[in-house]
Amino acid sequence: MRVAILAPVRLLGDGLARCLDGTSAIRIIGVVRTLEELHELVSSSLIDVALIDMTQPIDLDAVRLLAISGSNVVLIAMGLKEQRQDIIRCGRAGFVGYVSRDSTVEELAKTMLDAVAGRLACPEEISGALLRALFRQTSDPAPDGAPLTKRESDVLQLIGHGMTNKEIARELGLSVATVKHHVHNVLEKLSLPRRSHAMRKVREKPWLLG
């Protein structure tokens, strides 16, 4: 099993790599510190599992881009507080497994093996919450004009200022690919054909930004 580790704290990433490499048929391919570096590693190498440290701020929209990139990499969140909403948000971003902050290295290795095999183990109250969230998502029709997320509103505001994707990425500390994804979602949710229409709309109707 070929594994990549994303850990902004180098000491954690390097230490975890040393603990895992060679155990339970695990081979560490690389340790990176940013999502952009993880994207590059997944694009250039055969990776089965990506471990992502969730004790540090992580852009879940950028994680979702990786999940839908077609690479088939299994994403596992490390260090989650075992709270329903956090786990549901991670599931929506594309994570298929997680370990809590109290987990051991052995439990992490087992979680990776289970995730690759398509198994997810979690407490009963968490699994119940996941099922309820899935039910609501599939039973309630999506309303026309779905609300913008906080990040999409930020992007729309900067579009209204006439900024390019590159300028928006620099302003918000995101990758250009992530900004393009947000712009696409904004145009789709507002039923607008072009970026120039979004610029005009936000200037005419600033309340769209919430």
Side-chain angles (χ1 to χ4, degrees):
M1 181 167 50
R2 298 171 295 268
V3 178
I5 299 173
L6 165 58
V9 178
R10 183 174 181 177
L11 185 63
L12 171 63
D14 289 351
L16 192 56
R18 291 199 177 196
C19 290
L20 290 173
D21 200 22
T23 64
S24 301
I26 294 170
R27 179 185 170 200
I28 302 300
I29 302 302
V31 179
V32 298
R33 301 178 67 181
T34 68
L35 274 168
E36 288 76 13
E37 291 174 329
L38 182 59
H39 272 274
E40 292 175 4
L41 183 58
V42 169
S43 299
S44 62
S45 307
L46 289 174
I47 304 293
D48 299 308
V49 175
L51 302 176
I52 299 180
D53 176 17
M54 295 299 293
T55 65
Q56 305 296 318
I58 290 289
D59 184 352
L60 290 180
D61 289 318
V63 172
R64 187 173 183 277
L65 283 179
L66 178 61
I68 63 177
S69 65
S71 61
N72 295 321
V73 63
V74 171
L75 303 180
I76 295 179
M78 296 188 298
L80 277 187
K81 294 179 180 178
E82 211 157 20
Q83 298 175 348
R84 288 177 298 176
Q85 284 306 112
D86 288 344
I87 294 171
I88 289 170
R89 278 195 292 268
C90 284
R92 286 173 175 162
F95 286 99
V96 299
Y98 75 93
V99 290
S100 71
R101 299 187 177 199
D102 296 325
S103 298
T104 65
V105 172
E106 291 74 18
E107 288 169 336
L108 173 58
K110 182 179 184 303
T111 296
M112 285 192 285
L113 293 171
D114 286 344
V116 169
R119 298 187 295 267
L120 171 63
C122 59
E124 291 181 2
E125 63 271 18
I126 298 296
S127 60
L130 293 173
L131 289 174
R132 286 192 294 273
L134 178 61
F135 174 77
R136 285 195 297 269
Q137 183 175 345
T138 55
S139 63
D140 294 339
D144 293 334
L148 300 180
T149 66
K150 173 64 168 63
R151 186 61 84 186
E152 288 165 355
S153 294
D154 294 340
V155 169
L156 178 57
Q157 182 176 28
L158 297 179
I159 289 175
H161 293 165
M163 287 189 177
T164 65
N165 286 349
K166 188 173 182 179
E167 290 169 336
I168 294 173
R170 189 182 307 115
E171 177 72 19
L172 298 178
L174 304 174
S175 69
V176 174
T178 299
V179 171
K180 288 181 179 178
H181 175 70
H182 288 316
V183 171
H184 171 78
N185 285 346
V186 167
L187 295 180
E188 188 174 73
K189 286 182 177 181
L190 298 180
S191 300
L192 298 173
R194 293 184 181 83
R195 185 192 192 93
S196 58
H197 291 77
M199 186 184 303
R200 183 165 60 249
K201 195 173 190 74
V202 75
R203 290 174 178 174
E204 294 172 351
K205 302 180 179 180
W207 58 84
L208 289 171
L209 300 174

